[in-house]
Amino acid sequence: MANIEIEPGAAHESVLVTTESFGEMTSSLEEIKCSSSSVSSHLEECNNDNNIIEQFEDTVSFVGDNNTDGEEAQELQKEWLGKEKHVFVLSFAGKPIYSRYGNEDKLAWLFGVMQTLVSFVQSNDDCIQSIHAGDTHFVFLIRKPLILVAVSKTQESYHQLTAQLNYVFNQITSTLTLTRLNKIYEQRQNYDLRRLLSGVERLIDHLLDFFEREPSFSLGAVQCLPLSPSVRDTISSSIVGSCSKIKNLVFAILLANNKLITLVRMKKYCLHPADLHLIFNLVQASESLKNSESWTPLCLPKFDSSGFLYGHVSYLAEDCQACLLLLTVERDVFFTLSDAKQHVVEKLRRANCLEAINESLNSSEVKCASAGFPEIRHYLYKCKSTAQFHQPSLSPLYAESKVHLINIYKRVHYRLHGPARPLKLVFERNSEEALLAWDTKGFELYVVFEPLIDTSFAINSVGRLLNWIKKREDKLFHLNAPTF
Amino acid sequence: MVTQIIAGLKNFFVFNSSLSTSEGDELEKILYYYPISDNTDVQIKNVGLVEGIIHFTETFRPSSSVSSVHTEKSRQLYYQPEKGYWMVMTIQLNHITKEKLEGDSGELGDDVQDNVYEAVLKQAYHMYRLFWGTFQGTKDTDTLKMTLEIFYRAYLQSLKLVNADILNIFSGIQYLPLDKQTFLKVQCFINSLESNYMMISHSAFLYNDYLIWSGIEPSDMQLVYHYLIDTLLPANIETELQGGSMPRNSPSPFAALRHGRFITGPSNLRLAKTVGKVPKVFFYGEQKPEEYYLVVYRALSATVCLFVKVETELTLNIFKDLDDFISPKLISLVSDIAEYCSKQVITPNMADNSPRFIYFNKMNLAYKSTVHLDNKQSGNVACMKDSVRIMADMKLNNSYLGSSGETIVKTMSDYWVVGKTSNAREFYIALQQKNASLIDISEEVRKLCETELKGIFFHST
């Protein structure tokens, strides 16, 4: 392949951490806070959408070889078995904490079996990782003090499933903090954690659904809302202008429709994409946030798993559905942040930025065909230095089968990044499509072509595509990393 | 970067849960267990864990039963060849942490590939079944335990875990392509042999490590072929080289070479008093299982396998008679084949960096490899070992390609590996040139397909 030097979307400084490690970051809340305050465990209760799930849980009977009375129960058992991906969370003592489908209590026997398997292998000074049986993969993740298990028929790899379990674990720590989680089990091994996690189940459910639809998780990147650079800069500077005086404000994040508009940060501190994904998930999953301003404690596990940040969360205005999060280490500055938010909205309204955001939200991304690439069906472009990615809107071919497309991307992503034998480039031609996955120092590119494309034409097309993205980079990517 | 290194076979066992009915007699269900150094408590515990895993996985109705379990320190492979009978093989792994690899030196560790080692375990069963028949068909449990012990004690010793690769998955046969004339001569020889001796049901003909003719189903021939190539022939060639079978007092030392001999059965017809050991084999390729004596005769570089009906009473006279019939015909036939082969420059001396390939056809189980420098599974390969592993990765990915497809990948050390499939055929190529572009590579592969696979249709360019 020709050496292509351009690297659309690259920037010297990034708002996001771009390391791909799963390790914890070294940020410390203590560092930010001048005086340490004890961590509160107040949880926001948002049970609005729980009714349907609860009803389902009440009627579903557990699956096994007994207890199946009546046809209805068998029907439900069939339904439970037909699920593509189960996720279970349990304590080291085998106490059920979460099951994606079905009622944990009725599945208690299954949790018991999983706990036994894990501890049995551990007794041999070893650690169980996965079991493979035909189309079904069982993946175990042991993250003290919890055990997480995925049972999947989705053809995702061990590493992709482990990543999802890590996210689930992070979602739990995000509401409790790791420190508290550990303390709970140090005190009582048999603790029923579900008491503290009401409302979180819904977030985990949503997170797992999110994973199946969004490429951002496997890419470890976020997508930005396309905006002209002047608009984005105005938005950023309005936020900076209204908030720079506020002490200990760490991050201000503006997002809409699962896309980032801007992220303003305290000097020295960066946000990990994985933490940002949790924030996206929180906003996406909580309809109730739309109605009023909320104040919520939030632990960002990659940022600092030991304590909470406090978030002022609100939508900009009735007529602009972008969500602003102001994250601070102070516990009691709701009104200060509420005022600041009003200032931001006024400034944005005066500068016509709300209209610009709405306009971008209402217009769909350019399709490949109309951008002059009829041979390309879809692509993902990730700029590594900023951990941001871009994708065109779906061509009619995949509009109905988005999951199929995501699965294609997951599969080639794994081939490129398989831990045993990572590759620099994969070009695959099958009966349905031709795929190119390319990993360079600066970017990753995944392209789905028409199946009969000539190889040299495909290469040529990739070169043109990169140039095309380069030309539009300041619109598609958030290239500045503004600070307070 | 952490890589796995195979530290050896941790255990290997065969069990059937239904053989133990009550608590306390768990040992009953274990039909074979290696190593014997594991005491019975350990054996029962290990089998118990496997049973637990089987039950647990069945809860979720997988499309097929459990095939592998990964733990940090081991890899366990499962195979249920017959209902209720499970075979389990556990490979011990060591982990080593490597500094980030640079450029040329980039060779990763062994990295246990499930599809390769599942194939190793299946082969272990099929080899047993070739000589002893099915587990179920065995007279009683004690006999089964005994035959398993006899077979696997030797078999596990010969297992080459470290060098197992994609060829184990294929477990293919190398054919020798001949011209029509020579091939007809071989066929005439086989026909006259089979029609003169009604006791011979089928036969097979090999020249060196290549199969020329086989009258049995490919799935059965595959096993006989591997038994011959991997075990029987190498052992005999060694004795030939040591001069063990050559009568030293014969008038001319060449006279002996000009004469064939039986490898199974009486090895020296002049001195033999009994027919010696003639193994039985079980074939399952046809509708109903069949049992034959396997008589192997070898002269110069040719090997003739005779599958003799088990009702036949094998006597020394039969062998002498066969020898008189086969020897002169075979000697002249071999010289014809040798002459033909010498005219064909099969593979010109390949430069070190020329493309290396593996071809496999599922229909006749034929394979050809210029990647492997010998047939001994010695790990002696002409390209990066990682390239061979990438081929096995590609094989795993083939299910996504549909009836035909192509994959081209560039490795971290800038080598290229290409895989092509079309219907039942698979073609994998390791290209050793660096700094090539994707376009160069597809051109190179097109040329290679033209020269090596003339007349074989590969869909797409």
Side-chain angles (χ1 to χ4, degrees), chain A residues 117-174:
Chain A
L117 271 183
V118 169
S119 63
F120 199 100
V121 176
Q122 263 174 346
S123 72
N124 289 335
D125 194 26
D126 202 346
C127 178
I128 191 162
Q129 293 174 324
S130 62
I131 305 174
H132 305 270
D135 61 348
T136 314
H137 303 286
F138 303 73
V139 169
F140 295 79
L141 176 71
I142 291 147
R143 286 202 62 180
K144 253 185 149 180
L146 305 181
I147 298 168
L148 300 100
V149 184
V151 179
S152 159
K153 297 187 199 246
T154 55
Q155 299 175 331
E156 285 165 296
S157 69
Y158 166 73
H159 294 89
Q160 284 163 344
L161 292 167
T162 317
Q164 292 173 37
L165 294 179
N166 263 309
Y167 266 100
V168 171
F169 182 79
N170 285 346
Q171 183 69 67
I172 292 170
T173 45
S174 167

Side-chain angles (χ1 to χ4, degrees), chain A residues 11-238:
Chain A
H12 289 298
E13 210 175 347
S14 169
V15 287
L16 295 173
V17 185
T18 53
T19 52
E20 282 169 26
S21 77
F22 275 109
E24 302 299 329
M25 280 171 44
T26 48
S27 334
S28 155
L29 291 170
E30 297 306 318
E31 214 175 280
I32 303 167
K33 276 184 272 191
C34 307
S35 62
S36 64
S37 58
S38 73
V39 166
S40 140
S41 66
H42 170 71
L43 279 178
E44 194 200 24
E45 302 273 343
C46 27
N47 284 326
N48 301 349
D49 311 330
N50 266 359
N51 294 342
I52 309 156
I53 300 164
E54 271 163 19
Q55 276 168 16
F56 173 71
E57 284 176 353
D58 286 341
T59 42
V60 90
S61 165
F62 92 85
V63 177
D65 27 25
N66 45 21
N67 264 29
T68 48
D69 33 63
E71 272 176 38
E72 198 185 348
Q74 277 185 1
E75 238 355 86
L76 283 161
Q77 177 184 338
K78 232 190 213 163
E79 193 184 325
W80 189 85
L81 280 172
K83 298 293 180 193
E84 272 216 309
K85 193 193 293 166
H86 288 274
V87 173
F88 306 101
V89 183
L90 53 147
S91 70
F92 263 47
K95 275 262 180 197
I97 295 171
Y98 171 82
S99 167
R100 190 179 183 190
Y101 304 108
N103 182 322
E104 299 96 44
D105 286 327
K106 291 185 179 157
L107 294 168
W109 63 279
L110 187 62
F111 284 94
V113 173
M114 293 189 281
Q115 192 270 338
T116 314
L117 271 183
V118 169
S119 63
F120 199 100
V121 176
Q122 263 174 346
S123 72
N124 289 335
D125 194 26
D126 202 346
C127 178
I128 191 162
Q129 293 174 324
S130 62
I131 305 174
H132 305 270
D135 61 348
T136 314
H137 303 286
F138 303 73
V139 169
F140 295 79
L141 176 71
I142 291 147
R143 286 202 62 180
K144 253 185 149 180
L146 305 181
I147 298 168
L148 300 100
V149 184
V151 179
S152 159
K153 297 187 199 246
T154 55
Q155 299 175 331
E156 285 165 296
S157 69
Y158 166 73
H159 294 89
Q160 284 163 344
L161 292 167
T162 317
Q164 292 173 37
L165 294 179
N166 263 309
Y167 266 100
V168 171
F169 182 79
N170 285 346
Q171 183 69 67
I172 292 170
T173 45
S174 167
T175 35
L176 290 177
T177 76
L178 185 59
T179 314
R180 179 134 191 272
L181 189 63
N182 282 326
K183 204 169 272 169
I184 289 168
Y185 283 108
E186 271 164 33
Q187 283 160 0
R188 274 185 63 193
Q189 280 203 330
N190 241 341
Y191 191 79
D192 187 352
L193 197 67
R194 280 178 297 173
R195 272 188 259 166
L196 291 178
L197 292 180
S198 61
V200 180
E201 288 196 341
R202 193 176 42 83
L203 290 179
I204 300 175
D205 289 343
H206 190 271
L207 184 71
L208 292 168
D209 292 341
F210 224 21
F211 240 106
E212 270 146 39
R213 296 195 315 266
E214 290 298 325
S216 50
F217 293 93
S218 20
L219 288 177
V222 294
Q223 192 174 3
C224 288
L225 186 74
L227 285 174
S228 76
S230 62
V231 172
R232 204 186 303 275
D233 286 346
T234 313
I235 296 171
S236 304
S237 57
S238 306

Side-chain angles (χ1 to χ4, degrees), chain A residues 1 81 124-127 129-130 132-136 153 411 415 420-422 424-425 427-429 459, chain B residues 59-61 63-64 67-68 70-73 108 111 113 393 397 405-406 408-410 414 437-438:
Chain A
M1 170 145 324
L81 280 172
N124 289 335
D125 194 26
D126 202 346
C127 178
Q129 293 174 324
S130 62
H132 305 270
D135 61 348
T136 314
K153 297 187 199 246
R411 184 165 62 81
R415 296 198 66 191
R421 277 170 298 283
K424 282 185 175 171
L425 182 143
F427 182 74
E428 176 188 302
R429 191 196 303 277
I459 300 306
Chain B
T59 313
F60 292 89
R61 315 273 160 87
S63 63
S64 57
S67 60
S68 76
H70 299 210
T71 72
E72 214 169 86
K73 294 179 181 167
L108 296 168
D111 185 58
Q113 292 178 293
D393 290 341
N397 200 51
E406 170 187 44
I408 304 176
V409 306
K410 187 184 190 182
D414 290 326
S437 74
L438 184 54

Side-chain angles (χ1 to χ4, degrees), chain A residues 334-354:
Chain A
F334 175 85
F335 294 103
T336 323
L337 295 183
S338 181
D339 288 346
K341 185 243 173 173
Q342 286 313 321
H343 278 127
V344 172
V345 175
E346 280 161 31
K347 280 188 187 170
L348 294 184
R349 198 177 285 283
R350 275 203 302 270
N352 291 330
C353 289
L354 297 187

Side-chain angles (χ1 to χ4, degrees), chain B residues 230-241:
Chain B
D230 301 341
T231 312
L232 190 64
L233 295 183
N236 269 278
I237 288 165
E238 236 164 71
T239 41
E240 272 172 29
L241 289 177

